[in-house]
Structures are given as C-alpha cells and as structure tokens.
Amino acid sequence: MKKVEVVIRKTRFDDVREALNEVKIEFFTFWEVRGVGKASEGRVYRGIAYDTSTIERILITFFCREKFLEPAIKAILRSAKTGEIGDGKIFISDIVDAVRIRTGERGDKAMYLDGEE
C-alpha cells in the first residue's frame, strides 16, 4: 500500500480530480494550502499589482494499492502539467498497515468495499 501526496496549482484541480477518477482513484482528501517557493504569483486589486510572498496550491492525499500507483502518477502528470515552474510535486510513502474501523479488517481488504479486487 502507498500514500500519495500531491501539491498542484489550484487551477489544475478539476483536471487532476477527473484524471484520478478515470484510473479508479475515487476517494481522496484535499486542502487549500499556501507555501513559499521559487514561483510567485501576483495579485491585481483595483488596477494595482501586488506581489505575494506565498503561493496558493492544493494538497491532495490518497492511499492506494501498488497496482494503482503508476496509473495514478501518470494521470496526475498528464493533468497537472503546464510546463512552467510551480507545477507541483508528487510524494509517495509506504504504508505498513491499514485497519477498517467498522469491521477490523486489515491490509488491502481495509481499503476497499466487500468483494472489490
């Protein structure tokens, strides 16, 4: 099992969500986050441009089986890429175990509904 954390541009969120659904990643959590990096975003308010020191992004987190990992990565790369600095990052971690609270099932079985492969 893997934990995948993805930081993307806010403007690419809908595209990434659709791409993940196409490769059977049907549940994930996300947050609107701010960070500091090489890219900067300017804001225009009443005709005056302001340079902000923080960058708005979306952080997506999901857990998946090994067999869904590469399709998910390819879907994210395809849907989030603009080719400019600040497109984001994908972080992948190993998950030792998972437990479904309702039934006590562990491992891969805890991650999917009854009868799903």
Side-chain angles (χ1 to χ4, degrees):
M1 293 178 291
K2 300 292 184 181
K3 177 181 182 182
V4 180
E5 296 175 288
V6 185
V7 180
I8 59 169
R9 296 173 185 273
K10 287 178 77 170
T11 58
R12 306 303 296 174
F13 177 71
D14 289 333
D15 295 332
V16 172
R17 181 183 62 205
E18 290 173 16
L20 287 173
N21 282 330
E22 288 172 8
V23 295
K24 308 245 192 236
I25 303 297
E26 297 166 343
F27 178 83
F28 59 81
T29 54
F30 69 94
W31 299 266
E32 291 186 13
V33 296
R34 301 179 73 109
V36 178
K38 291 182 181 177
S40 64
E41 295 180 352
R43 300 254 186 242
V44 177
Y45 179 72
R46 294 187 178 189
I48 300 172
Y50 295 92
D51 183 32
T52 60
S53 60
T54 60
I55 304 163
E56 294 181 348
R57 294 290 183 256
I58 298 287
L59 172 63
I60 298 171
T61 301
F62 63 91
F63 301 87
C64 67
R65 294 180 185 176
E66 193 79 40
K67 69 180 184 178
F68 293 113
L69 183 61
E70 279 307 314
I73 291 170
K74 289 177 183 175
I76 294 164
L77 291 173
R78 180 179 69 251
S79 59
K81 183 177 180 177
T82 67
E84 298 174 7
I85 291 176
D87 276 349
K89 300 273 190 294
I90 302 171
F91 302 96
I92 302 159
S93 307
D94 288 321
I95 297 299
V96 177
D97 201 1
V99 180
R100 183 180 305 192
I101 294 172
R102 178 176 53 90
T103 63
E105 293 172 299
R106 297 184 78 127
D108 285 352
K109 288 182 179 183
M111 297 179 62
Y112 297 91
L113 297 174
D114 297 329
E116 286 189 22
E117 192 56 35

